[in-house]
């Protein structure tokens, strides 16, 4: 089974396998991609709502990898749905791919290349330059804001 992100509808993803998605994806779509969603729903695509425990598990994994601040509510629930359904997630979103890999969820990409490696982001103070492993609202040393930094 494939769980489809909005990019699957935008890029007209086709498969003979069973498909599923979540209701929040429909809200992100416009024009032809919205019609594709409606047509697939009408022809048997499963609409899944992940449970709260799984959603919290995905949020924890995203927090650990440093991706939580860039994932939307829709993104988190799509990864959760893929986890619950033991399905392949179809997305081009790199942060979603990173979290999915952390949870051993298989990912297929559409229009872009997939990620090469899983990343654990670091955060750097914009004032004093100190680096932190977890995101904070402010630097505990000087009080400046933090920005996400590639760990390599």
């Amino acid at each position: 089974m494939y769980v489809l992100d909005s990019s699957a509808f935008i890029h007209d993803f086709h498969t003979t396998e069973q498909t599923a998605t979540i209701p929040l994806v429909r809200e992100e779509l416009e024009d032809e991609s919205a019609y594709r969603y409606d047509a697939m729903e009408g022809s048997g695509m499963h609409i899944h709502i992940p449970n709260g425990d799984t959603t919290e598990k995905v949020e924890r994994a995203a927090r650990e990898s440093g991706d939580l601040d860039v994932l939307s509510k829709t993104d988190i629930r799509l990864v959760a749905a893929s986890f619950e359904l033991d399905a392949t997630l179809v997305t081009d979103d790199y942060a979603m791919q990173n979290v999915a890999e952390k949870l051993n969820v298989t990912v297929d990409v559409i229009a872009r290349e997939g990620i090469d490696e899983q990343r654990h982001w670091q955060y750097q103070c914009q004032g004093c330059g100190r680096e932190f492993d977890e995101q904070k609202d402010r630097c505990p040393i000087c009080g400046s804001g933090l920005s996400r930094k590639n760990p390599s």
Side-chain angles (χ1 to χ4, degrees):
M1 174 178 278
Y2 289 100
V3 172
L4 307 179
D5 184 12
S6 58
S7 60
F9 299 100
I10 293 167
H11 295 290
D12 200 14
F13 176 79
H14 290 283
T15 182
T16 57
E17 300 290 322
Q18 287 185 316
T19 57
T21 193
I22 61 171
L24 290 171
V25 168
R26 177 62 174 86
E27 297 172 17
E28 295 182 351
L29 302 173
E30 299 175 352
D31 304 323
E32 291 177 21
S33 56
Y35 296 129
R36 284 187 199 104
Y37 180 103
D38 295 340
M40 289 181 73
E41 182 180 12
S43 64
M45 177 175 64
H46 176 68
I47 305 301
H48 185 76
I49 298 173
N51 72 49
D53 291 342
T54 307
T55 301
E56 287 176 20
K57 180 177 187 152
V58 172
E59 288 172 347
R60 277 193 307 274
R63 191 173 298 109
E64 289 171 9
S65 70
D67 292 299
L68 185 60
D69 60 327
V70 296
L71 291 175
S72 69
K73 179 177 169 182
T74 303
D75 297 340
I76 290 166
R77 283 169 175 70
L78 278 163
V79 175
S82 300
F83 184 84
E84 284 183 359
L85 297 171
D86 194 26
T88 298
L89 175 61
V90 178
T91 185
D92 281 335
D93 185 286
Y94 291 137
M96 288 174 67
Q97 291 175 44
N98 201 39
V99 174
E101 186 169 311
K102 187 168 184 57
L103 294 167
N104 296 315
V105 171
T106 306
V107 176
D108 274 1
V109 294
I110 303 167
R112 298 184 188 181
E113 292 185 27
I115 62 172
D116 294 329
E117 63 188 37
Q118 185 179 2
R119 292 192 178 164
H120 298 281
W121 296 98
Q122 293 179 326
Y123 298 89
Q124 185 170 26
C125 175
Q126 296 172 349
C128 66
R130 286 189 172 84
E131 295 181 2
F132 303 92
D133 289 332
E134 18 180 271
Q135 185 179 14
K136 304 172 188 311
D137 289 333
R138 299 260 165 228
C139 175
I141 309 302
C142 73
S144 297
L146 302 181
S147 60
R148 191 165 87 157
K149 177 183 174 192
N150 191 339
S152 54

